[in-house]
Amino acid sequence: MENPIIMNKYSIERTLGNEIKPYNYDEFVKNFKINIISRSDNDLEFDLIGIDVAVANSLRRVIISEVIMSKILT
């Protein structure tokens, strides 16, 4: 796997080749943006900028799960 994320007890690190780069919350907040592309009653399209692909995919799975659960419960 290229550039795996390493989850330690109190930190998250991401390898960049042979270098391990520790997670920096302030850097994340500075670089992270959400651009809303379109929005309607049933749809929301947005871009996540400055976020690792693994984190974006995790967020996608959580959103899908929440939508499915809300459909089941209504």
Side-chain angles (χ1 to χ4, degrees):
M1 177 193 315
E2 287 186 34
N3 300 333
I5 295 173
I6 301 168
M7 298 187 76
N8 299 312
K9 187 172 182 177
Y10 298 105
S11 67
I12 300 173
E13 299 173 340
R14 185 168 58 112
T15 63
L16 302 171
N18 293 331
E19 172 190 0
I20 295 178
K21 182 178 179 185
Y23 176 76
N24 183 316
Y25 177 77
D26 293 328
E27 184 179 319
F28 171 79
V29 170
K30 182 176 79 172
N31 295 323
F32 179 64
K33 291 187 342 185
I34 300 176
N35 287 342
I36 297 177
I37 307 301
S38 64
R39 182 171 73 176
S40 69
D41 289 341
N42 297 319
D43 295 310
L44 177 63
E45 181 180 351
F46 56 92
D47 289 335
L48 301 175
I49 300 167
I51 192 168
D52 191 271
V53 173
V55 176
N57 190 43
S58 297
L59 179 59
R60 178 189 64 82
R61 284 185 265 153
V62 168
I63 292 169
I64 289 170
S65 176
E66 290 296 319
V67 169
I68 291 171
M69 288 305 296
S70 70
K71 297 284 184 186
I72 290 171
L73 297 175
T74 57

